[in-house]
Amino acid sequence: MESMLNKLKSTVTKVTADVTSAVMGNPVTREFDVGKHIASGGNGLAWKIFNGTKKSTKQEVAVFVFDKKLIDKCQKYEKDQIIDSLKRGVQQLTRLRHPRLLTVQHPLEESRDCLAFCTEPVFASLANVLGSWDNLPSPLPSEIKDHKLYDVETKYGLLQVSEGLSFLHSSVKMIHSNLTPENIILNKSGAWKIMGFDFYNPSVNPSEQVTKFVCKEWDPNLPPLCLPNPEYLAPEYILSVSCDPASDMYSLGVIIHAVYNKGKAIFEVNKQDIYKSFSRQLDQLSRLSPNVLANIPEEVREHVKLILNVTPAVRPDADQMTKIPFFDDVGAVTLQYFDSLFQRDNLQKSQFFKSLPKVLPKLPKRVVVQRILPYLTSEFVNPDMVPFVLPNVLLIAEECTKEEYVKLILPDLRPVFKQQEPVQILLIFLQKMDLLLTKTPSDDIKNSVLPMVYRALEAPSIQIQELCLNIIPTFANLIDYPSMKNSLIPRIKSACLQTSSLAVRVNSLVCLGKILEYLDKWFVLDEIIPFLQQIPSREPAVLMGILGIYKCTFTHKKLGVTKEQLAGKVLPHLIPLSIDNNLNLNQFNSFMSVIKEMLNKLEAEHKTKLEQLHLMQEQQKSLDISNQLNQTTEQQSNKTNNQTDTIFNNIGQDFLTGSSEKQENGNVQKQQAKQKVSLTMEEKQKLAKDQEQVQKLKSQQPLTPNSLTPVAPVKQTKDLTSTLMENMSSLTNLSVSNSKGASGGFPPITSMSGNIGFPAPVDNMSGNRNVQNGFNSNMSFPSSGFSMGVANPNQNFFSGSGSFGMTKITPMSSNTQNFNSLSSPPGMLQQNQHSKPTTNIPSLDNLFGPQKPKVSINQMSQQQNVWLNQYVPPQAAQNMSGPIPQTNLMGQAGFGTQSNPFFNPQSFSQPTSTMKSSTSASNDLKDLFG
């Protein structure tokens, strides 16, 4: 990349240096800016040709520069001769004015280093195009290197040279004397122009009909630039030192040969022995071989052979040459007509421009762009000719690339876009609107093309409005959305509402219907549909146009009218229109078909919506019901849990401490409340006894559990029944203190009303039975636990009417070993996590009456240990770790401890009967055990 930049930099620097050195100090640079070196021309290709512009007008020119460094090696007198010869040719060219001669725009200027003059814009010399690249820039311009002459260019170029010679010979009475490809210049438009009058030879008798010319003898001692090119000279110029207009015609014949033979002349000339060469050439011309002219077109071959005749009188003159059939080619004639266009009137021009579209496709694109287009665009200054010229210009634009269109055509079209008269201009542009929108840049579309369309919609001519409305859908996809939304659609709506022409109104509706697909959905719903309701006409064509727009809006996937729009705007408008009296049967059927489709869609969509809403409502109802149930369940469970927690927290405190402050205060308050009411003497005595018992329990020391050492199980089998009977009889002799249920003690125990008992009579006490853990396998135990309730603390704990009792006892499996799986109820005293549950016999407490032996807590603990040693199975004894908690009598009886598997606080309920008196309980015990 860096090397390429350096190379480009060096090239630009070199070119700049060449231009600067070539024209430095020359007066031409005062008025003209010199550009890059593009070609070479003149005798010996000595003139360098540069691009240039006039500083004042920015007009494009060509600057011819002769660098005097080319002749530095020559002698001074030779330099002077060369300079004089070059000056002579330029001065003569400057004096001559003809379309076939190169036009000089600034005369020759001389400086110390160069000669320079300015002409019309130039492409190259014919010699450069044919392959002579001397004195050309390096690297060689690709435009020259790749340039190929088309047949129509060659024909018309030779015709132009012939016309130029005719002008010189007939009008100026002079001969060129050095007509060569080097002195034929192709201008920017491709026209062939004659220059290089360095050796021109005027007539000595211009006023006479037969002209005479004085010819100079060939001087081989002169510098080459002071002599004409001998390869293009007629033989008589050297051999007989004579010349006339026929000598230029011979040169034209050699040029024709060179054009069709890659720039080669017919004969090569030895400049050292030029007389001998021309003598040989004369002999060859006398018997010219057909192979020499083989590459020349057959229709001109005989004319060329005639021009090259050794006898000057036989050669046709320039005027005759312009009339040969070879130059009657359509393209050549067309180009010739353009060159003489300035001489025609408007009628002739209009006729020619009308027939030109038939000729343009037959011509090469480069010829059309370079030669014809400049002539056409030059006619835009004539408004009357624009309608005839514009179709041809747009036809050429179709063949051009976008870059060529923007560079060569668009600058000349911008003023035409703004012309409103004649009206045909708008029609032509509208017909080619797709071309304009495709190749015109977006800025020019907004600034030039679309304003022209808007003017056409607002034009007073109904024909123009109709044409514009018919053409707009063809290029609607090329218009940007903001321009269509803000400028085009409002003008179409305005044209539809304001016009008095039915055709314009119908075409407006058709145009809107065709461009709906390029519009936004909400724009259609907000702007187009309300607009349809504003149309006052009720002609069938208008009504069908309205129906068409509704149908397009309804059926198009992108647009899609909503059901709200259908129900609120579309159908209320369409239904009255459908019964208009102007509609025929087919039109009415069309209306009804669309209305039915809309109603079906409306029904389907709204039904679907209602079904979905109904389903959602049903789901919501089910969710609400389930939520209410869940809330009710949660409230009940929370209430039950709160009540249970309160009850069992109090019970736990009772079991743990024997009483709580809350319960004491509650009991005292209740008792005081009872005192306020009239109490009986017995109730007052009982209340006083309760108070004494409470005070006695408060004064006692807190109970501390004694450590127990597990006793190894005795392997030998004991008679558990007899042992149990002995223990029972011993326990009946003990007295038990009367305790309160709610204040830390137990109420008197009466009979259990048959709630706990043995299902079979105790007979054969000494007999062996199937015993596990010291229990009879047929013995009944409660399986559903106990339910507890809060009642009067004076009630007995185990009585039928007390606050605590057994409501239901069902037989359970005799296998009562796995007690660990049962968890303790909330609020109850929890034992050590490591201690194993002990096996208690809750049914034994039912056997005790109110007259229990009064024993201390320690004595009862010792008895319990003895009982455990006797009745706890070996497996349970081995699993016991730590002392058995001795909290209260209920714990000893198997209630309120974590180790009791039968204790379930939820099974406590209100007792159904009161406990018996202590005397009856004692009698029952004696009757049972004897």
Side-chain angles (χ1 to χ4, degrees):
M1 183 67 182
E2 185 177 357
S3 61
M4 293 178 63
L5 292 175
N6 292 334
K7 185 177 180 181
L8 179 62
K9 181 179 179 181
S10 62
T11 302
V12 173
T13 305
K14 182 180 179 182
V15 170
T16 305
D18 292 343
V19 173
T20 304
S21 62
V23 296
M24 183 179 295
N26 195 287
V28 171
T29 58
R30 298 173 186 172
E31 299 183 22
F32 297 90
D33 292 325
V34 181
K36 65 178 182 178
H37 184 192
I38 59 173
S40 61
N43 191 25
L45 299 176
W47 292 93
K48 292 182 179 180
I49 305 175
F50 296 86
N51 283 332
T53 55
K54 192 172 185 178
K55 293 181 179 179
S56 59
T57 62
K58 301 300 179 182
Q59 182 182 1
E60 190 177 0
V61 298
V63 181
F64 284 73
V65 178
F66 175 76
D67 191 354
K68 293 182 178 180
K69 292 181 180 180
L70 293 175
I71 56 176
D72 283 345
K73 296 180 180 181
C74 298
Q75 299 295 328
K76 185 178 183 303
Y77 75 95
E78 292 178 345
K79 292 181 182 180
D80 294 339
Q81 288 179 331
I82 293 172
I83 296 300
D84 292 342
S85 177
L86 295 174
K87 287 181 178 181
R88 182 172 181 265
V90 175
Q91 291 170 355
Q92 181 63 28
L93 179 63
T94 304
R95 288 192 294 265
L96 298 173
R97 292 289 179 176
H98 191 267
R100 305 303 179 230
L101 304 181
L102 187 63
T103 303
V104 177
Q105 296 185 356
H106 189 83
L108 181 69
E109 297 284 356
E110 183 178 6
S111 64
R112 184 185 65 180
D113 297 324
C114 66
L115 300 174
F117 68 98
C118 296
T119 68
E120 61 182 299
V122 168
F123 169 67
S125 65
L126 181 60
N128 294 152
V129 173
L130 295 177
S132 297
W133 298 334
D134 295 341
N135 212 10
L136 285 179
S138 179
L140 187 67
S142 59
E143 296 85 359
I144 295 177
K145 184 178 180 180
D146 300 333
H147 189 82
K148 303 296 180 184
L149 290 173
Y150 292 104
D151 185 60
V152 64
E153 290 182 293
T154 303
K155 287 182 179 181
Y156 185 58
L158 295 174
L159 177 62
Q160 288 175 310
V161 174
S162 300
E163 292 175 349
L165 289 176
S166 177
F167 167 73
L168 292 176
H169 296 164
S170 302
S171 301
V172 185
K173 305 294 184 178
M174 62 171 288
I175 59 176
H176 190 278
S177 299
N178 192 27
L179 189 63
T180 64
E182 300 166 352
N183 290 320
I184 297 175
I185 301 298
L186 278 63
N187 70 357
K188 199 69 175 288
S189 299
W192 292 19
K193 303 293 186 84
I194 299 174
M195 68 163 291
F197 291 91
D198 301 355
F199 310 106
Y200 78 96
N201 194 350
S203 173
V204 294
N205 55 345
S207 59
E208 297 180 5
Q209 186 176 2
V210 179
T211 58
K212 293 182 181 181
F213 300 92
V214 177
C215 184
K216 294 182 180 181
E217 187 177 357
W218 181 268
D219 186 1
N221 296 322
L222 293 175
L225 291 178
C226 295
L227 294 172
N229 190 343
E231 294 180 349
Y232 291 86
L233 285 177
E236 63 272 14
Y237 191 95
I238 301 297
L239 297 178
S240 61
V241 192
S242 62
C243 61
D244 57 10
S247 300
D248 285 343
M249 298 307 296
Y250 178 89
S251 299
L252 178 61
V254 180
I255 291 174
I256 294 174
H257 181 275
V259 168
Y260 289 103
N261 289 273
K262 299 181 181 180
K264 294 181 180 180
I266 297 178
F267 305 107
E268 292 183 1
V269 177
N270 185 3
K271 297 179 181 180
Q272 302 298 328
D273 192 1
I274 192 169
Y275 295 102
K276 185 177 180 180
S277 295
F278 268 85
S279 299
R280 189 184 310 110
Q281 178 179 334
L282 188 61
D283 294 338
Q284 292 176 352
L285 288 174
S286 301
R287 49 183 186 274
L288 192 61
S289 173
N291 295 331
V292 176
L293 305 177
N295 294 331
I296 298 176
E298 186 176 359
E299 58 268 26
V300 75
R301 191 176 299 165
E302 292 299 324
H303 296 89
V304 172
K305 186 177 181 179
L306 193 62
I307 291 175
L308 296 176
N309 196 285
V310 294
T311 304
V314 178
R315 301 168 190 164
D317 58 25
D319 188 58
Q320 292 172 342
M321 195 66 183
T322 58
K323 295 179 174 60
I324 62 176
F326 179 70
F327 297 122
D328 290 339
D329 182 75
V330 176
V333 172
T334 302
L335 295 176
Q336 185 180 18
Y337 193 92
F338 272 110
D339 288 338
S340 61
L341 196 61
F342 64 95
Q343 302 174 358
R344 317 289 179 176
D345 57 18
N346 287 345
L347 181 59
Q348 293 174 333
K349 290 179 181 179
S350 62
Q351 295 297 328
F352 172 72
F353 290 140
K354 285 181 181 179
S355 60
L356 185 60
K358 299 177 182 179
V359 180
L360 290 178
K362 300 178 182 180
L363 299 177
K365 175 184 174 181
R366 178 164 56 78
V367 175
V368 172
V369 172
Q370 291 183 355
R371 299 297 304 277
I372 297 178
L373 183 61
Y375 288 111
L376 293 175
T377 55
S378 64
E379 290 293 329
F380 283 154
V381 296
N382 187 357
D384 295 334
M385 287 292 101
V386 173
F388 302 99
V389 175
L390 188 57
N392 296 291
V393 174
L394 296 179
L395 183 61
I396 296 173
E398 291 179 354
E399 301 298 326
C400 293
T401 62
K402 187 174 182 179
E403 292 75 14
E404 292 173 342
Y405 168 81
V406 172
K407 181 180 179 182
L408 301 175
I409 301 177
L410 184 59
D412 296 310
L413 285 180
R414 289 192 182 103
V416 184
F417 286 141
K418 300 177 182 179
Q419 294 183 10
Q420 300 183 11
E421 294 295 337
V423 294
Q424 290 84 354
I425 298 176
L426 283 175
L427 297 177
I428 295 170
F429 276 131
L430 291 175
Q431 291 172 350
K432 296 291 184 180
M433 189 57 62
D434 54 344
L435 167 68
L436 297 177
L437 295 177
T438 302
K439 294 189 176 181
T440 305
S442 58
D443 293 339
D444 288 289
I445 290 176
K446 294 179 181 179
N447 299 329
S448 300
V449 179
L450 291 181
M452 179 191 63
V453 176
Y454 305 152
R455 289 197 304 271
L457 287 174
E458 298 169 351
S461 174
I462 294 177
Q463 290 78 9
I464 293 179
Q465 287 183 333
E466 287 185 37
L467 179 61
C468 184
L469 292 170
N470 290 330
I471 293 176
I472 285 175
T474 62
F475 59 83
N477 60 322
L478 302 176
I479 301 177
D480 60 295
Y481 184 73
S483 299
M484 181 179 292
K485 175 181 176 181
N486 300 323
S487 300
L488 183 61
I489 298 297
R491 284 177 169 83
I492 295 176
K493 293 163 61 177
S494 177
C496 181
L497 294 176
Q498 297 177 3
T499 186
S500 59
S501 172
L502 178 62
V504 173
R505 184 163 293 161
V506 173
N507 286 324
S508 299
L509 294 174
V510 173
C511 180
L512 283 177
K514 290 181 178 179
I515 64 177
L516 281 178
E517 58 180 328
Y518 306 110
L519 300 178
D520 184 71
K521 174 181 178 179
W522 301 113
F523 179 78
V524 173
L525 297 179
D526 297 338
E527 298 293 335
I528 303 300
I529 291 181
F531 155 73
L532 297 177
Q533 302 173 6
Q534 301 173 7
I535 300 176
S537 300
R538 287 297 180 266
E539 290 83 359
V542 176
L543 296 181
M544 294 307 295
I546 295 174
L547 179 65
I549 294 179
Y550 276 131
K551 186 173 182 180
C552 291
T553 308
F554 173 70
T555 58
H556 198 278
K557 294 181 180 179
K558 176 184 175 182
L559 302 176
V561 183
T562 61
K563 62 184 180 64
E564 291 77 13
Q565 292 280 345
L566 286 176
K569 294 183 178 180
V570 178
L571 289 174
H573 184 221
L574 270 181
I575 293 175
L577 294 182
S578 65
I579 59 174
D580 192 278
N581 295 329
N582 295 326
L583 296 177
N584 57 30
L585 179 60
N586 292 331
Q587 293 169 344
F588 173 74
N589 290 334
S590 299
F591 266 88
M592 296 311 298
S593 176
V594 176
I595 291 173
K596 289 178 181 178
E597 290 180 7
M598 292 181 176
L599 289 174
N600 292 335
K601 179 181 179 181
L602 179 64
E603 178 186 3
E605 289 187 0
H606 198 64
K607 185 176 181 181
T608 302
K609 177 182 177 181
L610 294 178
E611 290 176 351
Q612 293 177 352
L613 289 176
H614 179 72
L615 181 60
M616 292 174 62
Q617 291 174 357
E618 294 297 328
Q619 293 177 353
Q620 186 65 32
K621 288 181 181 179
S622 62
L623 290 175
D624 293 342
I625 293 173
S626 62
N627 290 335
Q628 292 177 1
L629 292 176
N630 293 334
Q631 292 177 359
T632 304
T633 305
E634 289 179 359
Q635 292 176 358
Q636 292 178 354
S637 62
N638 292 335
K639 183 176 180 181
T640 304
N641 291 336
N642 292 334
Q643 293 177 355
T644 306
D645 292 343
T646 303
I647 293 171
F648 287 105
N649 285 336
N650 295 335
I651 293 174
Q653 292 176 0
D654 293 344
F655 289 170
L656 183 63
T657 61
S659 67
S660 64
E661 295 295 333
K662 285 185 178 181
Q663 291 175 345
E664 290 177 358
N665 295 333
N667 292 333
V668 172
Q669 291 176 359
K670 289 179 180 179
Q671 292 171 359
Q672 291 177 355
K674 288 182 180 181
Q675 290 176 357
K676 292 180 181 179
V677 184
S678 60
L679 299 177
T680 61
M681 181 62 66
E682 295 177 355
E683 291 176 345
K684 291 179 180 180
Q685 291 177 353
K686 187 177 180 180
L687 182 61
K689 190 181 295 184
D690 292 339
Q691 292 176 352
E692 291 176 359
Q693 185 67 24
V694 170
Q695 294 298 329
K696 187 184 297 183
L697 291 175
K698 284 184 177 181
S699 62
Q700 289 181 356
Q701 295 295 329
L703 300 178
T704 57
N706 295 328
S707 60
L708 290 178
T709 302
V711 179
V714 181
K715 292 184 179 181
Q716 71 179 36
T717 304
K718 291 184 177 182
D719 187 356
L720 297 180
T721 303
S722 60
T723 305
L724 178 62
M725 295 301 297
E726 292 175 0
N727 289 335
M728 287 302 191
S729 61
S730 62
L731 288 175
T732 56
N733 297 323
L734 299 176
S735 63
V736 181
S737 62
N738 188 14
S739 60
K740 306 296 180 180
S743 61
F746 290 93
I749 301 176
T750 62
S751 64
M752 298 303 295
S753 302
N755 288 335
I756 298 177
F758 296 95
V762 184
D763 57 348
N764 194 11
M765 300 299 292
S766 63
N768 294 330
R769 297 179 183 272
N770 185 11
V771 178
Q772 292 182 355
N773 295 336
F775 295 95
N776 189 345
S777 62
N778 296 323
M779 189 178 296
S780 298
F781 294 96
S783 62
S784 59
F786 301 93
S787 62
M788 300 179 64
V790 180
N792 190 343
N794 294 324
Q795 293 177 346
N796 294 329
F797 188 80
F798 293 103
S799 67
S801 62
S803 61
F804 303 101
M806 303 179 184
T807 60
K808 183 180 181 181
I809 300 176
T810 58
M812 68 174 294
S813 174
S814 60
N815 185 6
T816 57
Q817 296 179 3
N818 296 327
F819 300 151
N820 294 342
S821 61
L822 299 177
S823 59
S824 63
M828 305 302 292
L829 178 62
Q830 295 182 355
Q831 293 182 355
N832 191 345
Q833 295 291 335
H834 299 285
S835 63
K836 298 296 181 177
T838 59
T839 305
N840 297 322
I841 307 176
S843 60
L844 295 179
D845 292 342
N846 297 327
L847 303 178
F848 296 99
Q851 302 299 326
K852 290 182 181 180
K854 296 182 179 180
V855 294
S856 65
I857 299 299
N858 294 332
Q859 292 175 350
M860 294 182 68
S861 299
Q862 292 175 2
Q863 292 175 2
Q864 185 185 34
N865 292 335
V866 172
W867 182 83
L868 286 173
N869 292 334
Q870 293 177 357
Y871 298 103
V872 173
Q875 293 85 354
Q878 291 176 359
N879 293 332
M880 292 177 62
S881 59
I884 298 175
Q886 300 175 3
T887 56
N888 51 26
L889 295 177
M890 184 175 285
Q892 294 175 3
F895 300 104
T897 62
Q898 187 179 13
S899 60
N900 189 353
F902 305 111
F903 178 71
N904 187 354
Q906 296 180 0
S907 62
F908 284 94
S909 63
Q910 292 292 337
T912 57
S913 61
T914 59
M915 298 181 67
K916 295 180 181 181
S917 63
S918 60
T919 306
S920 62
S922 177
N923 294 331
D924 292 338
L925 188 62
K926 290 180 181 181
D927 294 337
L928 180 62
F929 292 99

